[in-house]
Every structure is written in structure tokens, then in C-alpha cells.
Amino acid sequence: MSNRRTRHGTGVRKAFSWLWMLIGLVYFFLPLAATFLFSLKGKKGVLSFVAYEHVFADPKFLKTFGFSLEMSILTVIVGLALIVPTAIWIHLKVPKAKPLIEFFTLLPFVIPPIILAFGLIRIYSRPPFAIVSSPLLLVAGYVIIAFPYIYKSVDAGLRAMDLRGLTEAAQSLGAGWLTLLFKVILPNLRTALLSALFLTFAIVIGELTLAVLLAWPAFGPYMALMGRNLAYEPAALAILSFGMTWGAIGLIQAVSRGRPGQGSNLGGTH
Amino acid sequence: MAFLELQGIVKNFGRNTVVRGLSLSVEKGEFVSFLGGSGCGKTTTLRMIAGFEMPTEGSIRLDGADLSRVSPNKRNLGMVFQNYALFPNMTVARNIAFGLKIAGQKKAAIASRVEEMLELIHMGEYAERYPHQLSGGQQQRVALARALARKPAALLLDEPLSALDAKIRVRLRDDIRSIQRSLGITTIYVTHDQEEALSISDRVAVMRDGRIEQIGAPFEIYNAPGTSYVETFIGTLSVLSARVKDPATGTLLVAGQEIVAGRKLDAAVGEELRLSLRPEALSLDGRERNCLRGRVVNVKFLGSIVRVVAKVGDRELSMDAFNHPRLPPPAIGSEVDLHFAPEACMVSKADAASPASVPEEEDEKA
């Protein structure tokens, strides 16, 4: 009797969860679908991919996209090289500093990019740091913007594994720091590193403020320019960038599911 | 000089002193357990041997060489952790091979050694599994094999069985001991479980407050506890208050009844002493010299053993008897005579500690 009632109860609850999910999906997908539909209306009266053709035909599209891609690769390399060892070091040696770093990760959200940009320009446009005309400064700015995302991903990955135990086990087996890093810690951080990587990509590819203020022909300013001057092409661009982001997320899922012993049960001891 | 020498080890964490002047010599091939409650410094001492902590004072020598300035990865000590700490990204075989690869051994040598280790832990068919596909007991076997694969100078185990359930704990404990014996490897074993320590070790070091209270063979520790702490920490113990009647013959009065302790006592007539008795030293039949009469207040049936608790004066006295199908235990409320030999009496000064009654939790373990 009570059994049946419970089953009935979960049934109702299930229906409700589906309802909420449906509402969420509509809220999320409706604008996307509308944008997609709009992007297909480049030619009067018929649905066509003409807007997409225009986008791809514009040499500036590939040029700016290529530039932003380059910048994002550099940002990922510099960002991971700086932040991953730092995060590991903090977890292992100075866990007391964790709250301080957490606070630092908030700064890029609290300080608007425009302030960051002006700060960078002021400091780095005169000797001894006259590097405002170098793309390195842009990368440095991007690393700051991407820092919270990279740190949070790595931090979550480190928390999910028994870092101290694995470190000590590896050391007792004769491993030095490099072996420990490349054979034990990084392989177990794979999912975390991938999500850091793709988040950084997604942010840097579409970034506007820094690129505009430091005057670089990046993809973000290009999209903004398109949006001001054209109707259908920006919609097509939006859909394209959505597609790329989703592709990246799908890739994270696929790769992290690739090997056993990783992914959701990262570092799992039961 | 002993194989492993700890001399005057002190360890401070900030203002906290965790280990206070600990010295210990371990012979080659010996199995020594550190036994004590939490915070007694046993794990910290083990971690100092492993090199994960640096002693504030004192020295650690292994096979004649000072380890103080040797980093953990150069000490060649095998370590087994409570939570296994297997590398989740590697199969069982690759976990075991990890240390061998670092040592730069040839592929063929590694493969044969891994096979040998898998055989040792009876897990040959699990070579290609990942840690998360194994049970806790299996994971700890793999961790043991991984630690032993490099033929370390000594094996350190930090509460390796604490995370496992009772049956597996006993089986794995026996396996650890037989593997240790067959390899003849010097072993330090940290545990808070007295039964584990007593059953597995050549010598047990009972630790308290950063010091070794007593170290000796399990038989010695159990039957001749050196301090009142060891006395009450190890095994179950009934503590009675006894008045000295004749120190020369070792005659005592317990709740008005006369018994003999079987040796001369260094005490004055009329002085109050602590008389401690192990439950298994008592029996209901009258072949022994001493006898105390008491009223049964509790009977615990523990399967192979029946524990009878009788009140003698205002104190409780526990007795263990083997279960016998034809001999039902005495009824609660009945009067019984509890017999014991003079040698079974552990007599100590009453002021050593307040006459400790036996903690109930110790009962459960015994």
C-alpha cells in the first residue's frame, strides 16, 4: 500500500521535473532557434545559407578568427603553465593560501575589463615596459581574464583526487617532481585541464573589450562590427560560434569518457 | 648497530609537540608495530621514517646511513597507505610497474617482476583492471605489491586495514604477515587496533603522548604490562582494590577474602594496592590456588567465549570461559567461585592512576 503511494509520489515528482526541464529548454532554445531561422533568411522568400556564404566569403572573417585562435592558443599555454603548477603547489604545500587565491579569482569579475585595459596601457606603453604594441600584452590580459576559469577547473580536479596520498605514494616509489607531475597528477587532471582549455578558448575567441582597446584585429571586434552594419550575417556568426562552443564541450565529454578510471570518478577510491 | 635506528626523535608542529624523544632499534627482518590511540604520534613517527616529515630533533639511520638529508624518493622504502593511494589512471600492472620504471629497469625485467608480485598477492587475473574496478581489499593488495616490487629496504604500513571490513581485515592481516615472513623484510606497522598489533608483530611498541610506553613481544606486552596505561590499553582487565596482609608471602585481602600474589610485595601491611586480572586467567573450576567469591551480574555470550561478570565487593571481575555445549553459563544473580593462579595477579601501586575500571569498548574488541 505504502509502496504504491510512494511510487505514485515519485511519478508526480518526475512529471514536475520534466515540466521544469521543458520550460528551461524552451527558454534556452527558443531564441537560438529564432536566431537560426533569421540567419537563414538572407534571401527573400526562401530559406538559404546565403548569410553563411557571405560570412565565409569575407576574408576578414578568417583573418580575425585566425588571429583570435592564435591568441587563445597562446593564452591556454601561458595560463596553464602558470596556474596548474601554482594550484598544485598551493594544494600540497600551502593549503592555507587557498582562500587568498579564491579571492584573487574573483578580481577579474569585480574589475571590469575596461579598467584592466586602461591599466595595462598606462603601465606598458612607456619604458621600461613599452610592450603595448606587442600581442604579448593582449595574451597577458587574456590570461588574467581566463585565470578564474582555469584555476577553478584545476582546483576542482585536484580536490577530486587524493593529491597528497598520490604524491606520497609516488615519492615513496622513487618518483621526482617531474615524474610525479607528468605521470601521476596531470593524467588524473585530464578532464579538469580539458575544461580549462575549452573555457579559455570560448572566452578568448569572443572577447571584445581588451581587443578593441589594445587595437587588435580580433574576432570579437569583427563580430561587433558586423552586428552594427549587417542584418543576417551576425545571426549566422552567432550560430557559428555557438556551434563551435558546443563542439568543444562535446569534445570534452567524448575525450574524458575515452578512458576508464577517469571522468566522473576521477581519483575514485571506494 | 640495529638495521633501523631512531634516536631521540622530537617532532613539533608549530607549538605542538607530537613526538617527544622517541628512540627505537629495529633488527633486520623484524616486524614492529606502533600501537596507540589517535594523537599518540605513531603515524607522525612513521612519516618521519618515510621522509614525509622532518624530525625537529634526533636522527634516523637505516642500515648505517643517516636518512636525515635524504628526500623521500631516495630512501627506497615501501609505503602502504590507509586509503590505498593507487594511481587511478593506471592499471594494476602499471601501478606495480611504476617504481620499477623509475628505477630504470628493462622492460622484460619489469614484466617478470610484475607477474611475480601479482602471483604473490594472488591477483594474476586482475593485471589489466583499473583500481576503481577493485574492492578495497584487492586495492590494498595491489598497493602492497606496488610497495614491495622495488625490493625496498623496509616496508612501512600506515593503518593499512582500517578502511576494510572485519573479515577481509583479518585475512589480509595474515597475508601481510606471511608475505613479510617469506620476504624477510623489515616492517613498521602503524595501527590503533591492539588485536591487529598483537597478532601480527614480532614486537609491539605501545605509544602514548609521543613516547613509547613499552616495547616488547606481544606475549610480554600482554602478560607483563609495564605501566598502568599499557595494562588497561591492551586487552580486557578487571581492576580490584587489595589490602596488603603480609608482604613477605604476598598475601592480600580483596573484599575481605584472602588471596596470594605468589611473590614478595614491596609494600607495608595495610597498604592499598591495585590488583589487575585478565578475564582468561580466571576459571570456575577449583584447580587453582586463589579463589574469590562473587555474585554474577552479567553473562555475555560471545560465541566461542562466554564472559561472566561477577561483583566482588564493590568492583566487577570479568571471567572468560570457552563455550561448552553441555555446560550452560551460570545464571545472573547466582554466587560463583572464581579461581586463578598466583602468577595471574598483576599488582601495582594504587596511586599510579585512579583504579581504572575497564573501558567498555575494550570489551567489544577482546
Side-chain angles (χ1 to χ4, degrees):
Chain A
M1 190 56 203
S2 69
N3 205 2
R4 194 180 299 160
R5 199 188 302 150
T6 327
R7 208 180 300 155
H8 178 70
T10 48
V12 169
R13 218 175 306 142
K14 232 181 191 169
F16 259 107
S17 11
W18 278 109
L19 180 71
W20 286 119
M21 197 149 126
L22 201 70
I23 292 172
L25 286 174
V26 168
Y27 180 81
F28 184 76
F29 277 102
L30 203 60
L32 199 64
T35 308
F36 181 59
L37 208 63
F38 184 70
S39 75
L40 297 179
K41 288 190 173 167
K43 223 184 246 172
K44 245 198 170 119
V46 282
L47 297 181
S48 71
F49 283 98
V50 69
Y52 292 84
E53 278 165 28
H54 287 165
V55 166
F56 284 116
D58 187 352
K60 270 193 185 157
F61 167 73
L62 278 183
K63 221 174 140 196
T64 55
F65 187 74
F67 177 81
S68 284
L69 198 66
E70 249 173 73
M71 290 302 107
S72 61
I73 291 171
L74 283 174
T75 307
V76 163
I77 292 172
V78 175
L80 289 183
L82 273 179
I83 296 161
V84 173
T86 310
I88 293 172
W89 191 256
I90 285 168
H91 270 257
L92 273 179
K93 299 279 177 177
V94 267
K96 276 186 195 155
K98 270 187 212 168
L100 189 71
I101 303 289
E102 301 262 317
F103 173 70
F104 285 158
T105 61
L106 290 177
L107 290 180
F109 296 114
V110 180
I111 300 169
I114 193 155
I115 304 219
L116 175 65
F118 278 121
L120 288 175
I121 291 168
R122 265 193 75 88
I123 293 173
Y124 293 107
S125 58
R126 62 189 83 171
F129 307 111
I131 53 165
V132 77
S133 56
S134 151
L136 280 181
L137 191 62
L138 187 64
V139 170
Y142 283 162
V143 167
I144 291 171
I145 293 174
F147 162 59
Y149 301 94
I150 298 179
Y151 181 79
K152 292 275 183 197
S153 309
V154 174
D155 183 58
L158 289 174
R159 275 173 210 269
M161 73 163 106
D162 172 19
L163 181 64
R164 183 166 296 269
L166 293 183
T167 301
E168 290 178 353
Q171 284 181 327
S172 76
L173 292 166
W177 284 105
L178 282 181
T179 314
L180 173 68
L181 189 65
F182 286 103
K183 293 277 154 86
V184 178
I185 298 179
L186 292 185
N188 287 307
L189 270 184
R190 213 163 54 135
T191 314
L193 292 179
L194 279 173
S195 69
L197 190 142
F198 288 120
L199 279 171
T200 309
F201 263 113
I203 293 161
V204 172
I205 292 275
E207 205 284 332
L208 179 66
T209 320
L210 274 186
V212 167
L213 290 173
L214 293 175
W216 288 101
F219 191 57
Y222 172 72
M223 277 208 286
L225 189 73
M226 291 266 113
R228 247 173 287 149
N229 299 335
L230 299 167
Y232 303 107
E233 285 76 4
L237 269 177
I239 294 296
L240 279 176
S241 64
F242 250 108
M244 284 185 291
T245 314
W246 282 15
I249 292 169
L251 218 57
I252 298 180
Q253 297 287 337
V255 176
S256 61
R257 225 182 282 159
R259 274 190 224 166
Q262 285 164 345
S264 59
N265 47 11
L266 219 138
T269 47
H270 10 150
Chain B
M1 185 184 239
F3 185 66
L4 176 64
E5 279 281 339
L6 277 66
Q7 219 151 50
I9 300 290
V10 173
K11 177 65 183 175
N12 299 328
F13 287 113
R15 275 191 215 156
N16 259 347
T17 304
V18 181
V19 178
R20 309 164 189 267
L22 182 145
S23 296
L24 173 72
S25 306
V26 181
E27 296 302 328
K28 201 171 169 79
E30 203 179 9
F31 193 123
V32 173
S33 291
F34 292 166
L35 172 65
S38 60
C40 72
K42 55 189 194 298
T43 294
T44 307
T45 307
L46 189 80
R47 291 173 57 80
M48 286 191 278
I49 301 173
F52 301 134
E53 308 286 354
M54 285 293 150
T56 314
E57 279 172 42
S59 74
I60 299 171
R61 300 179 76 83
L62 181 72
D63 207 3
D66 189 358
L67 286 184
S68 308
R69 291 178 179 275
V70 183
S71 60
N73 59 335
K74 299 273 189 279
R75 293 191 179 197
N76 192 26
L77 297 169
M79 179 101 184
V80 175
F81 302 85
Q82 181 177 347
N83 57 358
Y84 328 127
L86 293 177
F87 305 125
N89 55 317
M90 300 180 199
T91 59
V92 166
R94 292 210 302 143
N95 261 286
I96 298 174
F98 186 83
L100 302 170
K101 270 188 202 157
I102 291 169
Q105 295 193 11
K106 294 223 170 69
K107 260 196 169 156
I110 293 176
S112 77
R113 181 70 178 156
V114 168
E115 197 137 311
E116 200 180 316
M117 295 317 295
L118 283 169
E119 206 147 297
L120 188 71
I121 56 168
H122 311 296
M123 282 183 62
E125 63 271 42
Y126 294 92
E128 294 310 313
R129 297 275 187 97
Y130 282 88
H132 71 98
Q133 297 168 309
L134 304 176
S135 72
Q138 290 170 331
Q139 290 192 53
Q140 199 58 298
R141 279 170 197 278
V142 175
L144 182 66
R146 180 180 69 174
L148 290 169
R150 280 194 326 155
K151 301 184 179 160
L155 180 63
L156 311 174
L157 302 107
D158 185 9
E159 306 237 12
L161 306 178
S162 300
L164 302 172
D165 53 57
K167 256 217 168 104
I168 293 169
R169 203 150 61 203
V170 172
R171 183 150 20 109
L172 193 47
R173 175 174 95 193
D174 297 342
D175 286 354
I176 289 175
R177 179 55 159 164
S178 72
I179 287 172
Q180 184 269 340
R181 274 213 179 104
S182 69
L183 300 177
I185 185 170
T186 312
T187 302
I188 307 287
Y189 188 100
V190 163
T191 180
H192 64 268
D193 183 328
Q194 44 148 324
E195 185 192 318
E196 211 168 284
L198 293 174
S199 66
I200 204 171
S201 323
D202 291 318
R203 280 195 296 161
V204 177
V206 181
M207 291 184 63
R208 183 168 74 140
D209 217 9
R211 288 192 190 89
I212 293 179
E213 283 264 323
Q214 187 180 4
I215 180 161
F219 184 83
E220 197 182 317
I221 292 275
Y222 190 87
N223 291 308
T227 68
S228 59
Y229 175 76
V230 176
E231 201 177 84
T232 47
F233 186 78
I234 304 278
T236 306
L237 202 70
S238 310
V239 179
L240 304 170
S241 151
R243 192 172 297 276
V244 180
K245 189 178 178 197
D246 181 2
T249 56
T251 311
L252 298 162
L253 279 175
V254 177
Q257 306 177 54
E258 197 176 295
I259 61 155
V260 285
R263 59 180 177 276
K264 247 178 151 170
L265 294 170
D266 180 24
V269 175
E271 193 180 332
E272 286 279 341
L273 293 180
R274 258 160 68 96
L275 171 67
S276 313
L277 290 162
R278 296 272 185 217
E280 68 273 16
L282 306 178
S283 63
L284 288 172
D285 50 39
R287 259 172 296 169
E288 301 293 357
R289 180 146 171 226
N290 289 323
C291 171
L292 284 174
R293 176 159 275 261
R295 183 180 296 278
V296 177
V297 290
N298 200 353
V299 176
K300 295 181 199 167
F301 188 73
L302 306 171
S304 61
I305 282 177
V306 181
R307 171 161 297 170
V308 177
V309 183
K311 204 146 200 176
V312 176
D314 59 348
R315 295 287 174 79
E316 286 186 350
L317 188 57
S318 295
M319 183 211 74
D320 283 354
F322 284 115
N323 170 45
H324 200 291
R326 262 175 293 168
L327 268 182
I332 292 178
S334 61
E335 296 265 316
V336 286
D337 284 333
L338 301 170
H339 300 264
F340 54 96
E343 304 82 64
C345 299
M346 297 185 260
V347 183
S348 56
K349 296 276 182 198
D351 57 355
S354 60
S357 59
V358 183
E360 193 56 29
E361 69 210 17
E362 300 296 326
D363 269 24
E364 309 298 321
K365 279 184 203 155

